[in-house]
Amino acid sequence: VVETMMCQKQAMATLRDIWEEIGIPEKLQLERTEAVKDHMKSLLDMMISEEESLKEYLLNSITLCQKELDTLHRELQLDPFEVKWEQGTILQMEKDLRARVQVLLKQKRDRKQELKTLQEQEQDLCNVLCVTRFPIDSDAVPSLKDLDLYRRHLAALSVEKEQRKERFISTKQQILLLMEELEHSPENSFEQDVASGDEEAFCLSEHNIAALQSLQQQLEAQQSLNADVCAELRSRIAVLWERLQVPAEERELSA
């Protein structure tokens, strides 16, 4: 402030010297001095107004940031936000709050994006396994705990998918062998789906896996029955051979 006043005094002294050299009368010098004062006052008033506007802008920005932070803390399920004014000036406070808002907005975007990615992965697994979706609000911002539970859920679904797929492939191979041995053609849409080469299109639901195992058991039962019938027929033929005293050579040729 002292330096400013000294600059003003030096400027006025320089102006008076110029006026004296020019020969401007004292009355006009006084008028010009007043004009300089009015100009300086107008300039200062304008600067004060601009700085007051800046201060008001910063205070409004702080208020808006506080409101946004309150909302973000609720959405992200964080502890309530508290402002600590003793941390610094209004300018520093506004800068810190804006930076905090940007950090939390990024957290919100990241969580929402991860939720979307997990839901897309889950949709594929649910389509294959024919199970219901994980109960989570798609519109809300998920908590870190929610995301962790969701990841664990998807990991369990992935393991279940692989286990069911292995059971499906193994059982399908056995069924195809049985069908070939029994000369059994698919009798319905389910058996056609099993016999088809498109393994990815088969729904690995618990119901289908159970139906698959049931089909295998039916074919195995048919195979066992056929074996019993064959054994019975061979036994009868052997009895007839004995009664007819068929030589062993002819029996071997018939066998």
Side-chain angles (χ1 to χ4, degrees), residues 54-64 85 90 94:
L54 174 61
K55 177 182 176 182
E56 183 178 358
Y57 165 80
L58 293 173
L59 291 175
N60 287 335
S61 178
I62 287 174
T63 300
L64 292 175
W85 281 94
I90 293 176
E94 194 271 344

Side-chain angles (χ1 to χ4, degrees), residues 52-252:
E52 286 288 351
S53 297
L54 174 61
K55 177 182 176 182
E56 183 178 358
Y57 165 80
L58 293 173
L59 291 175
N60 287 335
S61 178
I62 287 174
T63 300
L64 292 175
C65 286
Q66 288 175 326
K67 291 180 179 179
E68 190 167 5
L69 285 172
D70 287 337
T71 301
L72 287 169
H73 273 246
R74 286 195 302 272
E75 290 180 332
L76 296 170
Q77 300 183 38
L78 302 174
D79 293 334
F81 175 72
E82 295 182 3
V83 179
K84 297 180 180 180
W85 281 94
E86 63 273 11
Q87 289 181 343
T89 63
I90 293 176
L91 187 62
Q92 187 61 47
M93 174 62 70
E94 194 271 344
K95 179 181 178 181
D96 292 344
L97 291 179
R98 276 193 297 108
R100 176 64 176 169
V101 167
Q102 293 305 313
V103 169
L104 295 187
L105 283 174
K106 184 178 184 304
Q107 288 186 23
K108 179 179 177 179
R109 288 193 300 270
D110 291 345
R111 291 193 197 180
K112 294 284 286 185
Q113 181 58 48
E114 182 175 3
L115 175 60
K116 181 181 178 182
T117 301
L118 292 175
Q119 286 178 320
E120 291 172 353
Q121 295 173 3
E122 183 195 31
Q123 184 63 60
D124 293 338
L125 289 169
C126 288
N127 290 340
V128 173
L129 299 174
C130 300
V131 295
T132 56
R133 302 291 299 271
F134 185 77
I136 190 169
D137 188 352
S138 300
D139 296 325
V141 180
S143 66
L144 294 177
K145 181 179 179 181
D146 289 337
L147 290 175
D148 183 60
L149 289 174
Y150 206 178
R151 292 189 210 100
R152 293 173 184 269
H153 170 70
L154 292 185
L157 286 184
S158 296
V159 171
E160 182 66 22
K161 174 188 174 183
E162 293 305 314
Q163 291 176 344
R164 291 188 189 182
K165 187 174 182 179
E166 290 177 5
R167 289 163 60 190
F168 166 68
I169 293 175
S170 175
T171 306
K172 176 180 177 177
Q173 291 173 346
Q174 295 299 318
I175 288 174
L176 292 178
L177 290 174
L178 288 166
M179 283 182 171
E180 182 179 2
E181 181 179 337
L182 296 170
E183 297 182 354
H184 175 90
S185 299
E187 298 177 347
N188 51 51
S189 60
F190 178 76
E191 292 185 8
Q192 290 173 356
D193 289 341
V194 174
S196 72
D198 190 2
E199 297 179 352
E200 297 298 327
F202 189 82
C203 178
L204 299 175
S205 66
E206 290 184 351
H207 174 76
N208 280 355
I209 295 297
L212 197 68
Q213 293 174 331
S214 176
L215 176 59
Q216 180 184 2
Q217 292 170 358
Q218 292 174 18
L219 293 173
E220 288 174 343
Q222 184 63 50
Q223 182 191 46
S224 178
L225 178 61
N226 289 356
D228 291 342
V229 170
C230 288
E232 177 65 23
L233 291 174
R234 288 194 183 95
S235 177
R236 292 181 182 181
I237 291 173
V239 171
L240 291 173
W241 279 341
E242 290 294 333
R243 289 179 182 177
L244 297 173
Q245 297 182 353
V246 176
E249 294 81 3
E250 293 186 18
R251 297 183 186 184
E252 290 179 2

Side-chain angles (χ1 to χ4, degrees), residues 27-59:
K27 182 178 180 181
L28 289 179
Q29 289 187 25
L30 291 176
E31 291 178 359
R32 294 191 178 209
T33 299
E34 290 299 321
V36 170
K37 291 179 180 179
D38 290 341
H39 179 70
M40 292 176 60
K41 182 178 182 302
S42 176
L43 179 61
L44 290 173
D45 288 343
M46 181 182 66
M47 294 180 64
I48 290 172
S49 177
E50 290 176 351
E51 300 305 308
E52 286 288 351
S53 297
L54 174 61
K55 177 182 176 182
E56 183 178 358
Y57 165 80
L58 293 173
L59 291 175

